[in-house]
Amino acid sequence: QVQLKESGGGLVQAGGSLRLSCAVTGNLASVNQMAWYRQSPGKRREERELVAAITSDGNTNYADSVKDRFSIFENSTKNALFLQMNSLKAEDTAVYYCNAEGKMRDESPFTSWGRGTQVASSA
């Protein structure tokens, strides 16, 4: 299993950019996919939205609302995950969470979450 810690959130004017980081510690080899989710104001935890994901072999996918604006990538050692956010809009305002999914040594699945980082984009 892994532990996740986000950083890089903040307040930015609409049209601006931010880069979020997620430090990953633990058994990195157990991870199959890393992702960024977001929880918009007034939404429940169960309503978190998948923003972008990257698999262990490098395949990526994005929510339609962020395609061509956001980019998910990892460093070469895979102990850091990033989300480059460009052309931010007011509707991107949310708490952004780092997420990891994988398998434990006994093959049972796990899901890990960070505590989140706040992103606010003013209109």
Side-chain angles (χ1 to χ4, degrees):
Q1 200 164 359
V2 296
Q3 296 75 46
L4 309 172
K5 184 174 183 180
E6 305 92 338
S7 61
L11 173 64
V12 63
Q13 284 190 331
S17 298
L18 276 177
R19 177 177 290 185
L20 303 184
S21 300
C22 174
V24 186
T25 57
N27 184 6
L28 304 181
S30 66
V31 176
N32 295 327
Q33 175 174 286
M34 298 288 301
W36 289 97
Y37 282 76
R38 65 187 181 189
Q39 185 171 343
S40 301
K43 299 286 189 180
R44 299 188 307 270
R45 178 190 173 108
E46 298 75 30
E47 297 174 290
R48 286 180 186 176
E49 172 194 11
L50 175 66
V51 176
I54 183 167
T55 63
S56 56
D57 54 2
N59 292 319
T60 59
N61 69 285
Y62 297 89
D64 287 343
S65 59
V66 307
K67 275 181 184 175
D68 300 324
R69 298 190 298 123
F70 289 12
S71 179
I72 186 171
F73 57 99
E74 300 173 303
N75 65 353
S76 58
T77 52
K78 299 194 175 184
N79 62 354
L81 178 73
F82 304 93
L83 184 69
Q84 178 66 41
M85 306 187 293
N86 299 326
S87 304
L88 281 161
K89 304 176 181 179
E91 50 263 44
D92 294 319
T93 294
V95 178
Y96 284 70
Y97 295 90
C98 185
N99 166 279
E101 295 182 354
K103 288 189 176 180
M104 311 257 261
R105 293 176 199 263
D106 63 1
E107 294 297 304
S108 59
F110 73 83
T111 300
S112 295
W113 292 93
R115 293 191 173 186
T117 185
Q118 176 73 55
V119 171
S121 180
S122 61

